[in-house]
Amino acid sequence: MKIHVGADHAAYEVKNELVAYLREQGHDVTDHGPAEYDPQDDYPMFVIPAAQAVAADDMSLGLVLGGSGNGEQIAANKVAGVRAVLAYDAETAKLGREHNDARVVSIGARLTDLATAKEILDVFLTTDFTGEERHQRRIDLMSRFEATGSLTE
C-alpha cells in the first residue's frame, strides 16, 4: 500500500520508527518530513503535503504525527477531500475507517507509546469503510458542505 507520512519535531523519532516499520511490512512509504530534527519546525509544512498526496491518490492512506496529534489532524483536514482522524488506540483507528472512511490517521507521539502506535497503524491500514448508508450519508453531507458551504442542496 502507498502511505504518505508527515510529522513535526515532537514526533520526529517516532515518525522515523514508524516509517521503518511500514517499509519492513512492504508498504511504499513517502516520508514528507521532517528530514532532520528542528525544534522550531512548523508541522503544516510536512502534514499538508502528506494530506495533499493522499487526496491526489485514491489508493493511498496517510499518517501524520505530532506531540498530541491534534494540530496535525486539523492541518490534514484543511486539505479538500481529506478526512483525518485522531486515534489514540486501535478502536478509534478502526472506527475512523469503518464509519468515517478516513484516509489519514493522526497519532500523538508524546501520548502514545510505540507499540500502541504500531497497533493503531496495523488496524487503520487493514480496516475498510463499511459503506453503510448512514455512514455514507454523513460523509456526503460533509463533502457537500466542503464543496458548497451548505448542508442542503
Side-chain angles (χ1 to χ4, degrees):
M1 177 174 293
K2 179 71 176 168
I3 302 168
H4 294 276
V5 181
D8 75 349
H9 61 277
Y12 177 73
E13 291 179 17
V14 173
K15 174 196 65 96
N16 291 340
E17 291 278 345
L18 293 176
V19 165
Y21 174 72
L22 291 168
R23 286 180 175 150
E24 287 168 8
Q25 292 190 330
H27 296 291
D28 179 8
V29 180
T30 300
D31 183 348
H32 293 268
E36 58 187 41
Y37 179 78
D38 175 359
Q40 298 300 313
D41 69 14
D42 298 312
Y43 60 83
M45 299 300 293
F46 310 109
V47 169
I48 289 176
Q52 288 174 315
V54 171
D57 178 3
D58 289 342
M59 301 305 292
S60 68
L61 294 175
L63 165 65
V64 297
L65 303 115
S68 70
N70 283 313
E72 293 73 22
Q73 177 201 26
I74 292 168
N77 278 317
K78 296 296 182 185
V79 175
V82 169
R83 283 183 300 282
V85 294
L86 177 63
Y88 46 85
D89 60 18
E91 186 66 14
T92 52
K94 179 179 180 225
L95 291 172
R97 290 287 294 139
E98 285 183 343
H99 293 192
N100 307 112
D101 197 17
R103 293 186 40 230
V104 175
V105 63
S106 184
I107 298 175
R110 290 182 176 153
L111 306 173
T112 309
D113 63 70
L114 189 57
T116 301
K118 289 178 180 179
E119 182 182 17
I120 288 168
L121 270 177
D122 291 343
V123 169
F124 190 80
L125 297 176
T126 59
T127 301
D128 292 322
F129 175 54
T130 65
E132 289 181 39
E133 188 277 332
R134 66 188 173 116
H135 300 309
Q136 187 61 57
R137 183 178 68 243
R138 294 164 187 160
I139 291 169
D140 291 344
L141 283 167
M142 289 185 284
S143 295
R144 180 181 304 131
F145 184 81
E146 183 177 60
T148 69
S150 175
L151 290 170
T152 59
E153 292 182 48

